[in-house]
Amino acid sequence: LAVCVAGERAGPPEDCGGSGGYGELLEVLADPAHPEYVEACEWVGTGFDPGLFSLVRANAGLQRLR
């Protein structure tokens, strides 16, 4: 049984382009003057917070892998 005991930051949203795409997405979201900012905000939705880590969500994801 796999269990997560700690973590940092939110995981990438689906289809963001892997770790490189996630890094680019974070740069865009951090800069309201970026030309892709509005589109990126619409894509991730209002509930996405890249700084938020949920131990409950992480463990729920691990349980689905069984």
Side-chain angles (χ1 to χ4, degrees), residues 13-24:
E14 288 290 324
D15 299 326
C16 74
S19 60
Y22 187 45
E24 290 176 23

Side-chain angles (χ1 to χ4, degrees), residues 1-62:
L1 177 65
V3 177
C4 182
V5 296
E8 186 176 311
R9 302 190 77 171
E14 288 290 324
D15 299 326
C16 74
S19 60
Y22 187 45
E24 290 176 23
L25 175 64
L26 293 178
E27 287 179 20
V28 171
L29 293 175
D31 180 8
H34 194 283
E36 297 175 18
Y37 178 80
V38 172
E39 181 181 347
C41 288
E42 290 172 354
W43 182 68
V44 297
T46 57
F48 181 72
D49 179 356
L52 181 66
F53 174 77
S54 170
L55 189 60
V56 171
R57 287 185 66 191
N59 281 316
L62 289 172

